Every structure is written in structure tokens, then in C-alpha cells.
Amino acid sequence: MIVSPFRMPGSLPAVCEAAWPKDVGIIAMEVYVPSQFVDQAELEEYDGVGSGKYTVGLGQARMGFCSDREDINSLCLTVVQRLMERSGLSYDSVGRLEVGTETIIDKSKSTKTVLMQLFEESGNTDVEGVDTTNACYGGTAALFNAVNWVESSSWDGRYAVVVAGDIAVYATGSARPTGGAGAVAMLVGPNAPLAFERGLRGTHMQHAYDFYKPDMVSEYPVVDGKLSIQCYLSALDRCYSVFRNKIHAQWQREGVERRCSLEDFGFMVFHSPYCKLVQKSLARLMLNDFMCHPSPNTESGPFSGLEAFRDVKIEDTYFDRDVEKAFMKASSELFENKTKASLLISNQNGNMYTPSVYGCLASVLAQHTPQQLAGQRIGVFSYGSGFAATLYSIRVTQDATPGSALDKMVSSLCDLQARLDSRKKVSPGVFAENMKLREETHHLANYIPQGSVEELSPGTWYLTRVDEKHRRQYARRSMDDHRPLEAGLLTAAEHIPSPLKKMPRIPTTTAGPEVVISNGDH
């Protein structure tokens, strides 16, 4: 008999586990959304569709968008620099920088290499990582790469930074209101307030043409809406099943006999193409709990009145309105307590693609106190068309004391609603003009963007020109006024470098660099 040398996740001997850095995960987060949005109710009227189609049917209130002044490089420059400034970190304290995006403006040069210009003044060029692409899943793949690096023999003691960013735009039609734009940057290392639970990842990968971008000269995707929903929900089913099997195996090794269900999560966040799908997804997890329970109580409790659905086949229920309605009603309280808060950015800004699920995570942190978050398990479901998906869990630290890492993280995000409220609302007509301009000038060489710089938020990086060789140049708006910054040297206010094999403290400082850079014009 051949004995396999491989072990199931979580089954490594204690001596190996002791060598891993402790509580590897997310230490800090920064979110960037565009400074302009269109109201979805006004867009309904402009598009001539029924009232409530976008606002009620999709669950969307506002949609952020970019003019031709912003591209994927500028979004990522903005959010990475803000993360470094607000965390008070020196650029030489970063040893890995990963980018997850599906907004491709170059088939060879990575956005990560553009971001390296932020590191030039520090002299730090020893930074691993490049871009990762698979629809909305790229940010999660980049995050996993960063976590795995910290836990590996390659780790040199420095932080990893992960940035997920995208501009989600659609051709005129029913899919356009599911667009959006933005970026999320995350600082990764040990002793994190949001620690990844080791071995608890349920992944499902499969081939499908549900959403893809085969036209290299267009920003617009090809979408099979019904297939995309089926792929999303089937991936959720599979990932949840694998996750539960893995956590059950861990519990059995610990001598614990119990079943994993939604009750084991303090919060559940999902990739959010639109808010209504997220609400349906939580209901779907409840359906999974119901189907897997050996003897659910249908007389009282959460499964009350659901006996009629005991014998349904889960693969036949993707578009079953009776099942959907019954379990959305049954899970309504769970949705209010575990998921609704996660939809702040999604509802107010739209689908950001790779940053979507991390915008949902930031939304949860922004609307709860450290004490409410401490010790909670957060379930995270990430989906990317094509398709790739993972459900994993994060454990929030127990330390919610003032000045703790969790307290700092929550404090840095507590103004999220104010940031969303500070944006400028534009008419659907102006929004449509911006989309037409992006469409006509996409990948145009020897081009100077026409969008207003004055509409951008302070501290935002923006595109100044694309030369005849397609090289892109950028500038940054001042943090304290509305004038574009002139070219200058990268400066920093009291940054603490990270000593080898030691994680630096995160000092509090908001001062930051001012510079004009380009995409490859050296």
C-alpha cells in the first residue's frame, strides 16, 4: 500500500506550525473611490427604464465613475500612497508589492512597475511581486500571494502591500448600472488585527464564458448575465462545502464535535457585483445549511416553515423564485446582523471588480467599534468570472484597547461615509458624456486628457498625457488645496525603516510625498 506524503490543510505537526509567523493578515487598509458619482434613480429615468429597476432590483443607490483623467495606474498610485502616508510607513519597509486588477492598459508592463516610482526616493528596489489577473478574483489571488510570502522561507521580515483596483464600465444597456470604480490597498504582515485562519480556504475553479474581455481595443466586457449569476452561486455552494469540510476536520482534531453554519461567522462579506445578489447569496448559504443539516427544526427557529424545500436538489435552485423568496425571508435577520453593513461602498459607489469584496470588508470595519469587532470570525467570499472563487475566514484580534492595531485600523476607516458624502453628483447626461469620451479615447496615443483636474479629490494622482509611444505621465493634486503639484522630489516625514526579521511599529503621521511621475519615460 502506498501512503501519500501529503497532509490535509491544518494537519501539520505542531513543531512546523510553531515556526510560522503568528497571526499573518491585514494590518491596515486604505480605500479610494472617484470624486464623482451618478444617482441611480436619475439614471433609471434617463435610461427610460422602470422606476426601481436599478435602485430596488439591483439594490444600487449611486455609481462612482472616472473621467479620462484617471486610469488603473493612477487609481493604484493614489491608494498606495495614501496607505503609506496614513500608516506613516517608509517605502523601504515594504518587501513585496502585489497588484490585482483586470483593467489592462498594457499587455506586458505591469501596474506594479509603475507603482515602483513611489519607491525611488527611498532607494528600495528589492520589492517582489507583479500583477495578477482573473476578473474580480485578482485582488484575492494577490492577497493570498502576500500572506503566503510572509509565511514562507522567502520572507525577509518586511511588510507586503496588496492593491486591488479597477474601473468597471459597460456599454450602454442593462449592464451599465452595475459599473463602478475604485481601489483598496492593504498592508500585510504578522501580528495583524485581521488574521487569516490557516488552512480554512474553500476554493472552486472552473471554465466558463460568463464574463470576459476578448476585445483588446475596448474597455467593455462580453457578459452572459444569467450564466454569470449561475456561476457565482454554484461557486458559492462549492466553496462553502469545501470550507465546512476543512473546519470540521480541524475541529475533529481538536476533539470538537459540531457542525459549521452561518452562526459561526460574526460577519459575512461577498464580492458584490450589485447589492441584491449579495443578499441572495447570504440566503443561499442558509439554504446550504438547511440542506446539510441531518434533522433541521422546521417547527420553530431559523428553518421554521421551510419543510417543503427539504428534498430540492441544490443545483436546480439557482433560478427557483420560490426557494429564493423563502430563504431570503428566513435569512433576513442574519442579513441585517452579518452582511448589510458590508454593502455601504457597494451601494454608494457600485462594483469595483477586484476591490469589491475588500470594499465590503472595509465597510464592516468602518461601521463598527473595535469592541464590536474583537474576536469575531469574518467570512469572505471572493468570485471572479471565468471562473475562480474562494471562501476563506479572517479572525479579528481580541485586543480592542485604545491605540491597538485594531483601534488604529477602525479609526482610519471611520470617515468612510463622510468620504462618500463629499463626492460631487453629476447628471446622467454628464456621466454618459464621460463614458463616450473614455470609449473614443481608450488606448489613444499622443493624447492629452480632457477631464477636469479640479473635480478630483486632493491627493489624487491623475493622467496628464499619453505620448506618441503610449508612455503615460501622471501628476498628483495637492493634499491641502486644489492646485496640481509641480514636479519635485519624493520627500517623507519621519519614516521608520523595518529592520530585518522585525516588523516596524506604525507611527502616526499624515504628511506625504509630492511628485510628478511617468509610465516608463526614463
Side-chain angles (χ1 to χ4, degrees):
M1 183 174 111
I2 300 176
V3 179
S4 171
F6 299 104
R7 295 172 177 266
M8 287 296 291
S11 64
L12 286 173
V15 64
C16 286
E17 194 166 325
W20 275 319
K22 184 181 179 183
D23 294 334
V24 177
I26 303 169
I27 298 172
M29 296 183 75
E30 181 56 39
V31 179
Y32 171 70
V33 296
S35 60
Q36 299 182 94
F37 71 89
V38 62
D39 183 270
Q40 292 275 20
E42 294 178 8
L43 195 59
E44 289 171 344
E45 185 176 356
Y46 181 83
D47 289 345
V49 301
S51 176
K53 184 175 179 65
Y54 305 157
T55 51
V56 179
L58 298 177
Q60 300 301 116
R62 298 172 173 179
M63 178 168 54
F65 68 94
C66 298
S67 73
D68 65 341
R69 282 289 179 182
E70 294 187 276
D71 62 13
I72 184 58
N73 291 342
S74 70
L75 293 184
C76 292
L77 284 165
T78 298
V79 79
V80 168
Q81 188 158 12
R82 287 186 178 182
L83 175 73
M84 299 299 286
E85 289 172 353
R86 294 185 71 164
S87 299
L89 289 169
S90 61
Y91 282 90
D92 59 7
S93 69
V94 176
R96 190 175 187 94
L97 173 60
E98 293 266 354
V99 177
T101 184
E102 64 172 273
T103 306
I104 308 301
I105 56 175
D106 190 289
K107 293 182 288 185
S108 176
K109 182 173 174 60
S110 67
T111 292
K112 184 273 179 75
T113 59
V114 176
L115 296 177
M116 285 307 300
Q117 291 172 102
L118 295 173
F119 290 71
E120 286 183 359
E121 181 68 17
S122 71
N124 179 20
T125 59
D126 179 20
V127 183
E128 297 184 12
V130 287
D131 294 5
T132 303
T133 301
N134 188 93
C136 302
Y137 187 81
T140 293
L143 182 56
F144 287 172
N145 288 344
V147 169
N148 294 344
W149 176 72
V150 174
E151 292 190 338
S152 77
S153 61
S154 299
W155 185 53
D156 64 4
R158 293 182 293 168
Y159 288 115
V161 170
V162 176
V163 55
D166 275 305
I167 298 173
V169 289
Y170 294 85
T172 304
S174 59
R176 175 159 280 187
T178 62
V184 174
M186 294 168 277
L187 186 70
V188 175
N191 305 312
L194 303 185
F196 279 60
E197 293 197 283
R198 188 171 290 118
L200 296 184
R201 297 183 193 170
T203 292
H204 179 70
M205 303 273 178
Q206 190 174 333
H207 167 64
Y209 279 117
D210 58 327
F211 169 111
Y212 52 109
K213 296 178 179 177
D215 187 349
M216 297 299 172
V217 299
S218 172
E219 286 191 283
Y220 299 144
V222 176
V223 185
D224 183 331
K226 186 174 182 180
L227 177 60
S228 185
I229 293 172
Q230 181 175 328
C231 289
Y232 182 105
L233 296 177
S234 67
L236 179 61
D237 292 341
R238 300 286 187 88
C239 290
Y240 191 42
S241 176
V242 174
F243 179 92
R244 284 184 311 188
N245 288 339
K246 289 184 178 180
I247 199 169
H248 288 159
Q250 283 196 8
W251 286 344
Q252 286 176 356
R253 286 191 294 273
E254 296 166 0
V256 177
E257 291 294 332
R258 56 181 297 193
R259 301 188 62 81
C260 177
S261 71
L262 282 173
E263 295 299 333
D264 291 293
F265 298 91
F267 301 96
M268 277 296 312
V269 303
F270 302 79
H271 166 60
S272 180
Y274 52 92
C275 293
K276 188 55 69 72
L277 182 59
V278 169
Q279 187 173 359
K280 293 178 180 179
S281 295
L282 187 78
R284 184 130 195 117
L285 293 186
M286 187 178 193
L287 170 64
N288 275 265
D289 285 349
F290 176 70
M291 299 293 292
C292 293
H293 199 291
S295 54
N297 181 359
T298 57
E299 299 298 323
S300 61
F303 299 139
S304 177
L306 298 176
E307 177 61 33
F309 304 104
R310 187 62 180 153
D311 297 323
V312 301
K313 294 181 178 179
I314 201 157
E315 63 271 18
D316 295 336
T317 60
Y318 301 129
F319 303 103
D320 188 318
R321 294 294 181 86
D322 292 334
V323 170
E324 181 182 283
K325 182 178 179 181
F327 281 87
M328 284 183 71
K329 180 180 179 181
S331 63
S332 59
E333 184 176 348
L334 289 176
F335 175 75
E336 289 288 328
N337 295 333
K338 298 180 186 293
T339 301
K340 187 176 181 180
S342 73
L343 296 177
L344 172 63
I345 293 178
S346 181
N347 173 265
Q348 295 290 305
N349 185 59
N351 183 8
M352 299 188 291
Y353 286 168
T354 54
S356 169
V357 69
Y358 300 103
C360 290
L361 178 59
S363 295
V364 170
L365 301 175
Q367 297 177 88
H368 292 87
T369 66
Q371 291 73 26
Q372 291 171 323
L373 295 165
Q376 297 286 0
R377 170 182 285 126
I378 302 177
V380 181
F381 176 67
S382 177
Y383 175 83
S385 296
F387 60 95
T390 297
L391 191 153
Y392 65 96
S393 58
I394 290 172
R395 178 68 76 173
V396 183
T397 179
Q398 294 282 1
D399 185 3
T401 57
S404 65
L406 179 60
D407 182 60
K408 290 179 180 179
M409 177 180 280
V410 171
S411 296
S412 72
L413 295 169
C414 67
D415 65 341
L416 205 51
Q417 181 67 67
R419 291 191 229 174
L420 292 166
D421 291 342
S422 70
R423 297 171 301 163
K424 177 183 178 181
K425 183 176 81 168
V426 303
S427 69
V430 171
F431 164 70
E433 289 171 4
N434 274 269
M435 293 301 99
K436 188 173 186 295
L437 178 62
R438 290 189 65 91
E439 182 178 328
E440 292 174 346
T441 61
H442 178 65
H443 211 63
L444 199 62
N446 200 20
Y447 174 70
I448 297 177
Q450 302 173 33
S452 171
V453 174
E454 285 69 29
E455 299 296 345
L456 300 173
S457 303
T460 301
W461 285 95
Y462 61 93
L463 184 66
T464 59
R465 72 182 294 254
V466 183
D467 72 12
E468 67 281 357
K469 292 185 178 181
H470 288 275
R471 294 177 297 189
R472 293 170 177 249
Q473 297 178 358
Y474 302 88
R476 191 191 189 204
R477 285 186 62 87
S478 171
M479 290 293 291
D480 54 12
D481 62 30
H482 291 282
R483 293 172 297 172
L485 292 165
E486 299 299 328
L489 296 176
L490 187 67
T491 59
E494 196 186 354
H495 283 152
I496 309 284
S498 117
L500 194 65
K501 294 297 182 185
K502 290 184 179 180
M503 300 306 298
R505 66 182 176 88
I506 302 180
T508 55
T509 175
T510 56
E514 302 182 352
V515 64
V516 173
I517 66 178
S518 68
N519 179 20
D521 190 8
H522 298 293

PDB file of all heavy atoms in Angstrom, residues 237-248:
ATOM      1  N   ASP A 237     -21.735  27.721  -3.514  1.00  0.00           N
ATOM      2  CA  ASP A 237     -22.093  26.416  -2.956  1.00  0.00           C
ATOM      3  C   ASP A 237     -20.861  25.542  -2.742  1.00  0.00           C
ATOM      4  O   ASP A 237     -20.667  24.958  -1.679  1.00  0.00           O
ATOM      5  CB  ASP A 237     -23.054  25.674  -3.898  1.00  0.00           C
ATOM      6  CG  ASP A 237     -24.430  26.318  -3.992  1.00  0.00           C
ATOM      7  OD1 ASP A 237     -24.786  27.098  -3.093  1.00  0.00           O
ATOM      8  OD2 ASP A 237     -25.139  26.030  -4.975  1.00  0.00           O
ATOM      9  N   ARG A 238     -20.033  25.435  -3.788  1.00  0.00           N
ATOM     10  CA  ARG A 238     -18.863  24.556  -3.744  1.00  0.00           C
ATOM     11  C   ARG A 238     -17.856  25.047  -2.703  1.00  0.00           C
ATOM     12  O   ARG A 238     -17.291  24.252  -1.952  1.00  0.00           O
ATOM     13  CB  ARG A 238     -18.200  24.497  -5.127  1.00  0.00           C
ATOM     14  CG  ARG A 238     -19.089  23.965  -6.236  1.00  0.00           C
ATOM     15  CD  ARG A 238     -19.295  22.470  -6.162  1.00  0.00           C
ATOM     16  NE  ARG A 238     -20.014  21.976  -7.318  1.00  0.00           N
ATOM     17  CZ  ARG A 238     -19.451  21.597  -8.469  1.00  0.00           C
ATOM     18  NH1 ARG A 238     -18.143  21.692  -8.624  1.00  0.00           N
ATOM     19  NH2 ARG A 238     -20.189  21.125  -9.452  1.00  0.00           N
ATOM     20  N   CYS A 239     -17.584  26.333  -2.696  1.00  0.00           N
ATOM     21  CA  CYS A 239     -16.595  26.878  -1.754  1.00  0.00           C
ATOM     22  C   CYS A 239     -17.048  26.704  -0.310  1.00  0.00           C
ATOM     23  O   CYS A 239     -16.235  26.370   0.571  1.00  0.00           O
ATOM     24  CB  CYS A 239     -16.345  28.362  -2.054  1.00  0.00           C
ATOM     25  SG  CYS A 239     -15.460  28.663  -3.594  1.00  0.00           S
ATOM     26  N   TYR A 240     -18.327  26.924  -0.059  1.00  0.00           N
ATOM     27  CA  TYR A 240     -18.853  26.774   1.301  1.00  0.00           C
ATOM     28  C   TYR A 240     -18.745  25.325   1.753  1.00  0.00           C
ATOM     29  O   TYR A 240     -18.383  25.035   2.900  1.00  0.00           O
ATOM     30  CB  TYR A 240     -20.302  27.252   1.332  1.00  0.00           C
ATOM     31  CG  TYR A 240     -20.906  27.401   2.714  1.00  0.00           C
ATOM     32  CD1 TYR A 240     -20.187  27.960   3.763  1.00  0.00           C
ATOM     33  CD2 TYR A 240     -22.221  27.006   2.950  1.00  0.00           C
ATOM     34  CE1 TYR A 240     -20.750  28.113   5.026  1.00  0.00           C
ATOM     35  CE2 TYR A 240     -22.802  27.161   4.208  1.00  0.00           C
ATOM     36  CZ  TYR A 240     -22.063  27.705   5.243  1.00  0.00           C
ATOM     37  OH  TYR A 240     -22.632  27.864   6.486  1.00  0.00           O
ATOM     38  N   SER A 241     -19.027  24.393   0.853  1.00  0.00           N
ATOM     39  CA  SER A 241     -18.928  22.970   1.173  1.00  0.00           C
ATOM     40  C   SER A 241     -17.500  22.584   1.527  1.00  0.00           C
ATOM     41  O   SER A 241     -17.252  21.896   2.534  1.00  0.00           O
ATOM     42  CB  SER A 241     -19.416  22.131  -0.011  1.00  0.00           C
ATOM     43  OG  SER A 241     -19.250  20.753   0.235  1.00  0.00           O
ATOM     44  N   VAL A 242     -16.534  23.035   0.725  1.00  0.00           N
ATOM     45  CA  VAL A 242     -15.126  22.725   0.987  1.00  0.00           C
ATOM     46  C   VAL A 242     -14.671  23.374   2.294  1.00  0.00           C
ATOM     47  O   VAL A 242     -13.965  22.752   3.103  1.00  0.00           O
ATOM     48  CB  VAL A 242     -14.234  23.183  -0.183  1.00  0.00           C
ATOM     49  CG1 VAL A 242     -12.763  22.995   0.151  1.00  0.00           C
ATOM     50  CG2 VAL A 242     -14.588  22.415  -1.453  1.00  0.00           C
ATOM     51  N   PHE A 243     -15.062  24.633   2.507  1.00  0.00           N
ATOM     52  CA  PHE A 243     -14.686  25.331   3.743  1.00  0.00           C
ATOM     53  C   PHE A 243     -15.203  24.578   4.963  1.00  0.00           C
ATOM     54  O   PHE A 243     -14.470  24.365   5.934  1.00  0.00           O
ATOM     55  CB  PHE A 243     -15.234  26.753   3.726  1.00  0.00           C
ATOM     56  CG  PHE A 243     -14.907  27.544   4.969  1.00  0.00           C
ATOM     57  CD1 PHE A 243     -13.764  28.326   5.021  1.00  0.00           C
ATOM     58  CD2 PHE A 243     -15.725  27.499   6.093  1.00  0.00           C
ATOM     59  CE1 PHE A 243     -13.442  29.047   6.172  1.00  0.00           C
ATOM     60  CE2 PHE A 243     -15.419  28.202   7.243  1.00  0.00           C
ATOM     61  CZ  PHE A 243     -14.271  28.989   7.275  1.00  0.00           C
ATOM     62  N   ARG A 244     -16.457  24.168   4.920  1.00  0.00           N
ATOM     63  CA  ARG A 244     -17.032  23.463   6.071  1.00  0.00           C
ATOM     64  C   ARG A 244     -16.316  22.145   6.321  1.00  0.00           C
ATOM     65  O   ARG A 244     -16.072  21.768   7.481  1.00  0.00           O
ATOM     66  CB  ARG A 244     -18.528  23.227   5.855  1.00  0.00           C
ATOM     67  CG  ARG A 244     -19.372  24.470   6.053  1.00  0.00           C
ATOM     68  CD  ARG A 244     -20.836  24.173   5.919  1.00  0.00           C
ATOM     69  NE  ARG A 244     -21.104  23.411   4.698  1.00  0.00           N
ATOM     70  CZ  ARG A 244     -22.325  23.152   4.245  1.00  0.00           C
ATOM     71  NH1 ARG A 244     -23.370  23.578   4.900  1.00  0.00           N
ATOM     72  NH2 ARG A 244     -22.493  22.476   3.138  1.00  0.00           N
ATOM     73  N   ASN A 245     -15.972  21.414   5.258  1.00  0.00           N
ATOM     74  CA  ASN A 245     -15.247  20.160   5.431  1.00  0.00           C
ATOM     75  C   ASN A 245     -13.910  20.397   6.129  1.00  0.00           C
ATOM     76  O   ASN A 245     -13.489  19.611   6.985  1.00  0.00           O
ATOM     77  CB  ASN A 245     -15.011  19.491   4.079  1.00  0.00           C
ATOM     78  CG  ASN A 245     -16.286  18.920   3.478  1.00  0.00           C
ATOM     79  OD1 ASN A 245     -17.263  18.674   4.193  1.00  0.00           O
ATOM     80  ND2 ASN A 245     -16.281  18.701   2.175  1.00  0.00           N
ATOM     81  N   LYS A 246     -13.225  21.493   5.758  1.00  0.00           N
ATOM     82  CA  LYS A 246     -11.917  21.774   6.345  1.00  0.00           C
ATOM     83  C   LYS A 246     -12.026  22.216   7.801  1.00  0.00           C
ATOM     84  O   LYS A 246     -11.219  21.815   8.649  1.00  0.00           O
ATOM     85  CB  LYS A 246     -11.189  22.825   5.514  1.00  0.00           C
ATOM     86  CG  LYS A 246     -10.729  22.289   4.161  1.00  0.00           C
ATOM     87  CD  LYS A 246      -9.927  23.315   3.368  1.00  0.00           C
ATOM     88  CE  LYS A 246      -9.451  22.703   2.052  1.00  0.00           C
ATOM     89  NZ  LYS A 246      -8.651  23.675   1.250  1.00  0.00           N
ATOM     90  N   ILE A 247     -13.025  23.016   8.114  1.00  0.00           N
ATOM     91  CA  ILE A 247     -13.162  23.445   9.511  1.00  0.00           C
ATOM     92  C   ILE A 247     -13.654  22.293  10.380  1.00  0.00           C
ATOM     93  O   ILE A 247     -13.242  22.161  11.541  1.00  0.00           O
ATOM     94  CB  ILE A 247     -14.073  24.690   9.635  1.00  0.00           C
ATOM     95  CG1 ILE A 247     -13.824  25.386  10.977  1.00  0.00           C
ATOM     96  CG2 ILE A 247     -15.544  24.339   9.464  1.00  0.00           C
ATOM     97  CD1 ILE A 247     -14.484  26.759  11.090  1.00  0.00           C
ATOM     98  N   HIS A 248     -14.486  21.402   9.806  1.00  0.00           N
ATOM     99  CA  HIS A 248     -14.906  20.219  10.556  1.00  0.00           C
ATOM    100  C   HIS A 248     -13.701  19.336  10.877  1.00  0.00           C
ATOM    101  O   HIS A 248     -13.588  18.793  11.992  1.00  0.00           O
ATOM    102  CB  HIS A 248     -15.931  19.420   9.752  1.00  0.00           C
ATOM    103  CG  HIS A 248     -17.265  20.067   9.666  1.00  0.00           C
ATOM    104  ND1 HIS A 248     -18.199  19.768   8.688  1.00  0.00           N
ATOM    105  CD2 HIS A 248     -17.845  21.029  10.433  1.00  0.00           C
ATOM    106  CE1 HIS A 248     -19.278  20.511   8.867  1.00  0.00           C
ATOM    107  NE2 HIS A 248     -19.086  21.281   9.912  1.00  0.00           N
TER     108      HIS A 248
END
